[in-house]
Amino acid sequence: MQPIESLTRILDDAVNLVGKSGTYSLKYSLHGRTLVLKFMTVVHFGSESSLKPQLESAKDQARQLMKDRVKGLKKDYKDATGEALKYEDLGEMDNLEIISSTSNSLRKVAYYRYNQTLSLDV
């Protein structure tokens, strides 16, 4: 239990992140040895052609934030426990949830979510 407790403390300090502009967040959930990093941002679009570049940009931002957080997590875990944090990447998943769209408005608003799941070897 000691490695999991150390990991939870580090995650609480290092992962929960909200962008200064308030347009994105990065959170986590830990279920046993499965860590899910969760990115969410808001996108505004008028058509599918204007949505695709935004989604690619949001996905790149999510991947970079998660890569940086996992790198920091590994370093902090090594500093706290003296052991290396090993993990297996179980994949990624993203989705789009439209939250505001009317036939009278050209602008639509949606949540873009991106999750990365890791199996931790602690």
Side-chain angles (χ1 to χ4, degrees), residues 32-62:
R33 288 177 162 66
T34 303
L35 173 66
V36 181
L37 297 169
K38 302 174 179 186
F39 173 85
M40 194 277 301
T41 191
V42 177
V43 293
H44 303 272
F45 62 99
S47 67
E48 187 176 330
S49 63
S50 67
L51 176 63
K52 287 182 181 184
Q54 286 186 70
L55 294 183
E56 287 303 315
S57 175
K59 185 182 279 191
D60 290 343
Q61 180 185 20

Side-chain angles (χ1 to χ4, degrees), residues 86-103:
K86 297 178 184 173
Y87 64 91
E88 178 184 352
D89 189 345
L90 299 179
E92 58 191 39
M93 181 180 72
D94 66 347
N95 66 48
L96 185 71
E97 176 186 354
I98 297 177
I99 57 174
S100 175
S101 174
T102 65
S103 59

